[in-house]
Amino acid sequence: MQSHSLSSQENQTARVDDSVAAVRSGGRIMMLGLRGIPGVQGGVEKHVEMLAGRLVAQGWQVEVVARSPYLPQPGLREWNGVRVTPLWAPRRASLEALIHTFLGVLYAGFRRPDILHIHAIGPSLMVPLARLFGLKVVVTHHGYDYDRQKWGRVARTGLRLGERFGMRLSHARIAVSGDIARTMDASHGVAVDFVPNGVAVAPGTVPTGILDELGVERRRYVLLAARVVPEKRQSDLIGAFARLGDPDLRLVLAGDAEHESAYAREVRRLAAETPGVVLAGFQTGDRLAELFANAALFVLPSSHEGMPIALLEAMAYGLPVLASDIVANKELKLPGRDYFPLGDIDALAAAMAARIADLPGEDAMRAQAEEVGRAYSWSSIAGRTGA
């Protein structure tokens, strides 16, 4: 990993619109556009969970508007100082974000937060309505969601329109990757702050028994933690793992499908047919931390990312990593051997074999973890978001 790339991200400066910058720490921020917190599966959800708590610590009053069907604790109304407000949303992939954000903007019009912070480009379709209510709006662009394989032509058109509204009609704009910030600046002629995702790793893991439960041993399994959706390409990883032919190695796939799909069924079929593949389901908290802390290698074969939180987390645990050579992953500027050509299963298998045969020592892992922790601390990210 190249240290100069990490320090350069720390040196990014904020350029926030005057009308938003005038709201000082201690103001009220409402966050909208996600399924919920805490412990809800998804990159945006993890981003908001980490960010909201840090903003509270800096003196902000934060409210997260959640989709009630996804909350693991339906009666929860406050978490780590963050107000959690559930609103109804249908459990349909094509409708839930739009309908929930519409209801959330109506609620924001009643609550009158100092800043309405909308996450992702689909929910940004409601930016014009928020502006009509006289709300000050910040939008965070988490990725080109119209590139996801699951969407058809109509949905992709809507997502592009949401991106346009979010970039052109909000008071301030944030992107989680430099590529997104540059592309939006060039496409829409607006200032977009680059504020990357962060990582938070506990100094020690609490034994949970999950390794015994899954039948895996420390440093004898490859890990992927991701939702089971086509763009995460679990099927590629299963195919590459099968080529290794190591009876003592395991592949642990942590994550689940939010909606039943042909791809989720295919992943379950491939896992059942491939010796050594373990489907761990969605994990969070200490159980997920224990999986990260004891893995031999983390692999992210995805075709679409905004800025990959799971990859950052793996690096923050000191793990060696392999990632597909898409733009979002390559923005981390890892050494060349940490990348493989997207979709090339043979190349991925060869790279996995090479990394497993040459695992880093504990000292090297600690040094990497410290470097990543300094560069991507959530406290620093919260400071730049709230600036």
Side-chain angles (χ1 to χ4, degrees), residues 3 103 105 224 318 342:
S3 59
L103 297 175
V105 170
L224 168 60
L342 172 65

Side-chain angles (χ1 to χ4, degrees), residues 4 8 28 68 77 81 128 158 166 180-181 209-210 233 297 362-363:
H4 68 82
S8 67
R28 295 185 299 124
S68 55
R77 293 298 181 271
I180 295 173
I210 190 170
R233 301 182 79 103
L297 174 68
E362 294 295 326
D363 289 344

Side-chain angles (χ1 to χ4, degrees), residues 201-219:
V201 176
T205 58
V206 177
T208 66
I210 190 170
L211 300 190
D212 290 338
E213 180 183 321
L214 298 178
V216 299
E217 298 178 10
R218 174 177 167 82
R219 302 286 182 249

Side-chain angles (χ1 to χ4, degrees), residues 16-260:
V16 182
D17 183 274
D18 288 343
S19 61
V20 173
V23 180
R24 297 182 181 275
S25 179
R28 295 185 299 124
I29 302 176
M30 180 180 292
M31 296 193 178
L32 179 62
L34 64 150
R35 296 175 183 88
I37 63 168
V40 178
Q41 183 173 230
V44 176
E45 287 69 26
K46 186 61 173 288
H47 175 102
V48 172
E49 180 177 323
M50 294 293 101
L51 177 63
R54 269 62 177 190
L55 288 172
V56 167
Q58 293 177 8
W60 295 89
Q61 300 174 55
V62 182
E63 180 175 5
V64 172
V65 181
R67 301 174 199 171
S68 55
Y70 289 94
L71 290 179
Q73 304 174 51
L76 183 70
R77 293 298 181 271
E78 184 174 316
W79 174 81
N80 283 1
V82 179
R83 177 172 176 159
V84 180
T85 300
L87 290 181
W88 174 83
R91 284 294 295 263
R92 292 188 60 184
S94 59
L95 295 175
E96 67 179 49
L98 187 63
I99 291 176
H100 183 263
T101 308
F102 172 74
L103 297 175
V105 170
L106 296 182
Y107 174 69
F110 171 76
R111 287 278 294 167
R112 311 304 301 176
D114 295 308
I115 296 173
L116 176 63
H117 191 163
I118 295 178
H119 290 265
I121 59 176
S124 295
L125 276 166
M126 293 297 140
V127 169
L129 179 62
R131 292 296 305 268
L132 186 64
F133 288 160
L135 298 169
K136 293 179 179 178
V137 183
V138 174
V139 168
T140 291
H141 194 318
H142 287 268
Y144 309 114
D145 289 338
Y146 39 75
D147 287 341
R148 294 183 186 273
Q149 294 170 251
K150 64 180 179 179
W151 298 125
R153 182 174 58 85
V154 173
R156 290 178 181 179
T157 299
L159 289 166
R160 288 186 180 276
L161 185 61
E163 181 182 77
R164 184 180 182 88
F165 287 166
M167 295 299 101
R168 297 202 173 194
L169 300 181
S170 60
H171 292 88
R173 297 141 294 273
I174 296 170
V176 298
S177 84
D179 172 69
I180 295 173
R182 292 187 296 270
T183 301
M184 293 301 99
D185 193 350
S187 300
H188 300 285
V190 293
V192 181
D193 297 323
F194 167 40
V195 181
N197 285 323
V199 290
V201 176
T205 58
V206 177
T208 66
I210 190 170
L211 300 190
D212 290 338
E213 180 183 321
L214 298 178
V216 299
E217 298 178 10
R218 174 177 167 82
R219 302 286 182 249
R220 292 304 299 159
Y221 62 91
V222 176
L223 175 65
L224 168 60
R227 289 179 298 146
V228 181
V229 290
E231 56 268 20
K232 298 301 182 181
R233 301 182 79 103
Q234 284 91 348
S235 56
D236 286 3
L237 183 52
I238 294 173
F241 176 78
R243 285 162 169 77
L244 296 181
D246 184 344
D248 296 324
L249 191 66
R250 299 290 182 266
L251 170 61
V252 176
L253 301 178
D256 210 343
E258 288 151 358
H259 304 278
E260 184 61 23

Side-chain angles (χ1 to χ4, degrees), residues 276-350:
V277 177
V278 179
L279 297 180
F282 174 57
Q283 301 293 336
T284 189
D286 291 336
R287 287 169 64 85
L288 181 60
E290 191 169 0
L291 285 177
F292 271 112
N294 292 283
L297 174 68
F298 183 88
V299 181
L300 185 67
S302 54
S303 60
H304 172 84
E305 294 288 343
M307 188 181 190
I309 293 180
L311 183 60
L312 286 174
E313 288 182 333
M315 292 161 56
Y317 278 96
L319 294 181
V321 299
L322 286 172
S324 56
D325 61 350
I326 61 175
V327 171
N329 292 340
K330 294 197 78 171
E331 281 214 337
L332 296 181
K333 294 182 170 58
L334 306 178
R337 68 172 185 163
D338 290 349
Y339 294 107
F340 64 92
L342 172 65
D344 190 332
I345 294 176
D346 288 333
L348 173 55

